[in-house]
Amino acid sequence: MPELPAQPVLRLAIPAPVYGLFDYHPPADVDAAGLCPGIRVEVMFGRSRRVGLLVEVAAASELPVERLRAARRIIDAEPVLPADLLTLLRWAADYYRQPPGEMFWSMLPAGLRRGDAIDAQVPLLALTPAGASQSLDSLRRAPRQAALLAELQQRTPLPIPTLDDAQRRAAGALCARGWASRTSGVPDHAEPAAWPNPAQGPSLTPEQSAAVDRISAGTGFAVHLLHGVTGSGKTEVYMRLMAQQVAAGRQSLVLVPEIGLTPQLIERFRARFGEAVAVLHSGLGDAQRLAAWRDARSGQAAIVVGTRSALFVPLARPGLMILDEEHDASFRQTDGVRYSARDLAVVRARSLGIGLVLGSGTPSLESLKAALEGRYGRVAMPTRVGGGREPALKLVDIDQHAQQHGLSTPLLAAMHRHLAADGQVLLFLNRRGFAPALWCTSCGHIVECHRCDARMTVHQADNRLRCHHCGAERAMPASCSACGAAELAPVGQGTERIEEVLGRLFPGVPGARIDRDTTRRRHTLEAQLEAVRSGEVRILVGTQMLAKGHDFPGITLVGVLDADQGLFSSDFRASERLAQTIVQVAGRCGRGDQPGEVLIQTRFPQHPLLQQLCRDGYAGFATALLAERQAAGWPPFTRLALLRAEAANRQAPRRFLEAARDLATGMGVSGTHVLGPAPAGMERRAGRYRQQLLFQADDHRPLQRLLAQLPGRLSQLTGARDVRWVLDVDPVDLI
């Protein structure tokens, strides 16, 4: 049989757990030479239709020509992703050893993943002739309607998915008056919007002014570590830098670690930059995310704000990238497609030739090391705006003082003192629920999760037991399953129990609890935060959600109820995270006119970590911890990767990882070490047993040489079909 001539091949990223691209012939009526990478292509994948992303047009395929299918149709005339994002995503898939199809497609809005047209019709709010002639003075008592009418008179129509809830209510009122109407169509993005001039900001402190000057002095790619203590005014520095980009006609991308930080930040940004601010995070609907994505891509948005996945939004005129709270672990995606938004931000900024600002009051050790080596510029802001001082950290030995359900006598006395002085109090406990365990006082049995190596947490308000690891829950038992006695008692404290105790100890003092259980409903978090800022709430108790970026000027006392959780962890990063959390939550107090006080409850007041943190602050602590990491051979002085495997029985993961260890050792890649396998910190989770294999190297290059050979060969190992396995490069934890 004569050999068929080679012909161009479309290499597509298709969402599938396969470490590679898929080859297809172009449709019969399409010239492959005219196709640009970044367009979407509909294909048959097995027996189903899929949408793939064109990564490259190859001269030929490594597979026999007769085995290739022809694509069904070309969806786009122009790329949905620009060349810089295609390069970034391909680099990320290679570095993190993730299936490229899953990496590419997880970064697109849901509608585009389904194959919807990029310029599909959306609901619009249009100005009517009556509205065009209407004076804004008639809406003095309806400021939201006046603001929306003014925007419509400047730019109409407006995409309804981009409006927030308050604006949508105002839109309904304008439609009822006959001044606006709802229609549908394609938003006009033929020309980038003329961004409004930013509003005037407050006068800068000398430190803020120096930071702005230093960061904006250079051109091209540079990474700046903005190390500013809590309350030093980092956000104002961000806005001045963004205003410079607006004046130059360039966009700024701002990443924040949590959805909970965005409402307050968006309010400040929109007060300064108007409606040229696009928001991208998982709390929005698909239509809202797609509208914001389009505004960023078209250049309508001057400022794009979002959580980690917003890193992958296309920008028409990129000028600056900012990561606020760069140390936060939320920038690392730990399930599904794994990547670090902080580290990829450096890669993207370099490829775009723009500046990147990493801001934090407690920088990660990785960023501090890069600054010490001169790879990042370090910009320090060690004092608070207004001259306020950071509160000193004081340790309270709870073995030496009486307690009332986790609240020591010195802490209670301080609470009474600060409340009497019209201050507010924040109590931090990173453990939600009523109590972390349910204990039988008769036989000592503790109720455990049937699917995890973990205790069930008591949620008394719902009369339920819940596992905070797998989500399993059941009703509170009336008697012990081990001995039958009706002598069950909750042991320990969670935020729900602390809230109940505070109600008894401080009757009539309004309080609030902020954790994942109390903020599930939409807009609840924003309402609670506003109640704290207004002074309506006097005592606030909550979890990690309170340690990130919130401004509570009335809080004068912070109590850390349990500082011992991270002191004896098997994870080498635990002490760094504990110190960051303590410093961040301590930074919530003393930001107004009154001085702040921080009390840290512990059973180990002589622990070197706590002693050094209280004596030398975070900077001194981090310097000592860097030396300790270097001596121990841990990141950021070495590079790690974990091969994680799990299965429904205990033996399968270990057998697979032992075979993987032998495979990796046999490759003989110099400069790498293979350790394990060993059980995960919690071996059984959600009914599956977990083991892991650790790869370690002094540099990322030998580690990457080893990892590049693994994925394809791991799938061929005996027992690979009996487990779920995943490679985790630069893991954030080892437990």
Side-chain angles (χ1 to χ4, degrees):
M1 180 177 178
E3 187 173 319
L4 296 174
Q7 53 182 298
V9 170
L10 309 183
R11 308 213 69 206
L12 304 178
I14 298 175
V18 177
Y19 292 85
L21 302 174
F22 295 88
D23 292 355
Y24 283 82
H25 291 308
D29 57 345
V30 173
D31 179 8
L35 300 179
C36 295
I39 64 172
R40 293 169 300 157
V41 181
E42 185 182 281
V43 299
M44 291 301 297
F45 189 80
R47 297 183 179 181
S48 63
R49 294 185 186 184
R50 294 278 185 93
V51 176
L53 192 76
L54 179 63
V55 177
E56 63 181 347
V57 178
S61 174
E62 296 179 358
L63 298 173
V65 173
E66 63 272 14
R67 290 185 56 186
L68 302 187
R69 289 170 143 178
R72 290 179 56 85
R73 67 185 178 99
I74 305 299
I75 297 175
D76 305 302
E78 299 292 332
V80 296
L81 289 181
D84 76 283
L85 275 182
L86 288 174
T87 301
L88 175 69
L89 288 167
R90 195 161 189 182
W91 186 94
D94 286 344
Y95 181 84
Y96 292 106
R97 303 300 158 188
Q98 299 295 299
E102 295 185 348
M103 172 66 76
F104 276 65
W105 284 98
S106 64
M107 307 313 164
L108 281 176
L112 298 186
R113 295 199 298 266
R114 292 192 299 265
D116 295 352
I118 193 168
D119 289 323
Q121 289 198 346
V122 298
L124 301 173
L125 183 68
L127 189 68
T128 64
S133 61
Q134 186 64 39
S135 170
L136 299 180
D137 291 339
S138 62
L139 291 173
R140 289 178 179 174
R141 295 187 178 182
R144 294 188 184 276
Q145 294 179 44
L148 185 58
L149 181 61
E151 187 176 358
L152 281 170
Q153 290 176 347
Q154 292 290 325
R155 179 167 64 100
T156 186
L158 296 175
I160 291 177
T162 65
L163 305 181
D164 60 29
D165 289 347
Q167 289 174 314
R168 293 189 187 200
R169 289 192 292 272
L174 292 180
C175 289
R177 294 173 182 267
W179 298 345
S181 64
R182 291 184 174 89
T183 181
S184 63
V186 177
D188 181 13
H189 287 170
E191 294 293 334
W195 300 327
N197 292 325
Q200 186 68 35
S203 298
L204 297 180
T205 66
E207 274 186 7
Q208 289 175 317
S209 183
V212 171
D213 291 344
R214 182 172 173 186
I215 293 171
S216 59
T219 59
F221 168 69
V223 181
H224 305 275
L225 177 60
L226 181 60
H227 185 180
V229 300
T230 54
S232 61
K234 294 188 291 294
T235 303
E236 184 60 37
V237 171
Y238 300 155
M239 290 196 285
R240 292 301 178 97
L241 294 170
M242 291 189 292
Q244 293 176 354
Q245 297 300 320
V246 169
R250 294 189 292 261
Q251 295 167 289
S252 299
L253 174 62
V254 183
L255 301 186
V256 295
E258 296 282 358
I259 297 172
L261 293 181
T262 54
Q264 183 178 349
L265 198 63
I266 294 301
E267 184 178 335
R268 293 186 64 179
F269 283 0
R270 284 190 170 147
R272 185 72 58 88
F273 298 100
E275 294 303 315
V277 179
V279 184
L280 279 157
H281 59 69
S282 60
L284 302 174
D286 288 347
Q288 290 175 299
R289 285 200 298 271
L290 180 56
W293 188 90
R294 286 174 175 145
D295 283 348
R297 179 178 181 269
S298 66
Q300 301 297 306
I303 314 294
V304 182
V305 187
T307 48
R308 61 175 177 255
S309 62
L311 171 69
F312 303 100
V313 68
L315 299 172
R317 296 173 277 169
L320 177 70
M321 294 174 60
I322 297 170
L323 266 80
D324 190 30
E325 309 292 352
E326 65 85 28
H327 67 278
D328 199 280
S330 298
F331 283 123
R332 182 61 156 84
Q333 178 142 316
T334 55
D335 55 4
V337 176
R338 288 166 165 78
Y339 65 91
S340 165
R342 181 193 66 207
D343 296 344
L344 286 182
V346 177
V347 178
R348 188 177 187 192
R350 181 185 291 114
S351 70
L352 292 173
I354 64 175
L356 169 64
V357 179
L358 304 177
S360 176
T362 53
S364 64
L365 296 191
E366 285 77 8
S367 295
L368 283 173
K369 178 174 179 286
L372 290 171
E373 294 173 347
R375 291 183 286 121
Y376 297 175
R378 183 172 180 269
V379 182
M381 293 172 57
T383 58
R384 289 183 163 184
V385 173
R389 296 180 58 187
E390 283 193 281
L393 308 180
K394 302 176 184 178
L395 300 178
V396 176
D397 186 350
I398 55 178
D399 283 338
Q400 300 297 318
H401 297 281
Q403 296 183 65
Q404 296 191 51
H405 299 288
L407 302 174
S408 65
T409 301
L411 177 58
L412 288 171
M415 291 177 66
H416 282 287
R417 187 173 69 253
H418 281 264
L419 290 171
D422 202 29
Q424 291 172 288
V425 175
L426 187 157
L427 300 181
F428 174 79
L429 177 63
N430 203 28
R431 189 164 53 229
R432 63 190 174 93
F434 186 82
L438 187 65
W439 178 58
C440 177
T441 59
S442 178
C443 71
H445 174 72
I446 296 178
V447 181
E448 296 186 342
C449 177
H450 296 318
R451 307 174 69 221
C452 302
D453 294 333
R455 297 166 178 171
M456 298 291 280
T457 299
V458 178
H459 286 257
Q460 188 159 284
D462 301 328
N463 199 35
R464 307 286 288 178
L465 295 177
R466 294 193 178 100
C467 176
H468 289 177
H469 301 280
C470 72
E473 65 174 89
R474 57 183 184 265
M476 194 89 71
S479 59
C480 177
S481 60
C483 70
E487 302 294 337
L488 296 174
V491 178
Q493 290 80 35
T495 52
E496 183 185 339
R497 187 171 204 164
I498 296 299
E499 181 185 36
E500 180 188 85
V501 171
L502 292 172
R504 296 199 306 266
L505 297 178
F506 297 89
V509 178
R513 169 166 60 98
I514 294 183
D515 57 28
R516 197 186 309 169
D517 296 325
T518 63
T519 57
R520 294 184 189 277
R521 300 180 66 178
R522 195 176 184 187
H523 303 309
T524 304
L525 176 60
E526 294 95 314
Q528 289 181 311
L529 294 176
E530 181 55 37
V532 177
R533 284 192 287 269
S534 69
E536 177 185 344
V537 168
R538 302 293 309 286
I539 303 177
L540 177 63
V541 58
T543 59
Q544 186 83 18
M545 298 174 71
L546 297 179
K548 300 178 182 180
H550 302 296
D551 186 13
F552 302 131
I555 287 180
T556 56
L557 172 67
V558 165
V560 179
L561 301 190
D562 184 359
D564 300 337
Q565 292 178 337
L567 293 180
F568 304 103
S569 172
S570 59
D571 183 7
F572 73 94
R573 295 187 191 274
S575 56
E576 177 187 2
R577 288 181 185 147
L578 175 62
Q580 288 168 339
T581 299
I582 289 175
V583 173
Q584 289 284 337
V585 74
R588 300 311 112 204
C589 81
R591 300 177 74 152
D593 297 331
Q594 301 181 55
E597 182 179 5
V598 179
L599 299 181
I600 304 170
Q601 296 189 160
T602 176
R603 283 189 167 83
F604 306 96
Q606 300 306 314
H607 193 285
L609 183 156
L610 296 177
Q611 286 287 323
Q612 186 162 46
L613 188 63
C614 293
R615 182 180 65 249
D616 302 329
Y618 183 78
F621 163 83
T623 300
L625 190 55
L626 274 170
E628 182 181 307
R629 292 270 189 92
Q630 186 173 22
W634 287 116
F637 297 94
T638 58
R639 306 304 282 265
L640 303 179
L642 273 179
L643 176 59
R644 305 179 190 265
E646 62 176 46
N649 67 80
R650 179 177 271 119
Q651 293 75 32
R654 187 167 191 87
R655 286 196 300 265
F656 169 75
L657 291 179
E658 286 173 344
R661 177 196 59 202
D662 296 340
L663 171 65
T665 304
M667 290 177 183
V669 179
S670 61
T672 61
H673 307 281
V674 185
L675 306 174
M682 180 183 294
E683 184 179 10
R684 186 171 60 102
R685 183 171 181 173
R688 301 181 68 84
Y689 292 89
R690 307 182 303 151
Q691 296 256 341
Q692 52 198 30
L693 193 67
L694 180 66
F695 304 101
Q696 187 177 38
D698 291 338
D699 185 74
H700 76 276
R701 285 178 285 268
L703 184 60
Q704 284 293 322
R705 285 198 295 271
L706 174 65
L707 298 180
Q709 306 175 53
L710 277 180
R713 299 178 68 177
L714 288 172
S715 301
Q716 300 170 10
L717 289 178
T718 302
R721 294 179 178 272
D722 300 328
V723 300
R724 296 177 191 161
W725 61 268
V726 66
L727 272 170
D728 192 357
V729 180
D730 298 339
V732 292
D733 63 62
L734 302 183
I735 59 176

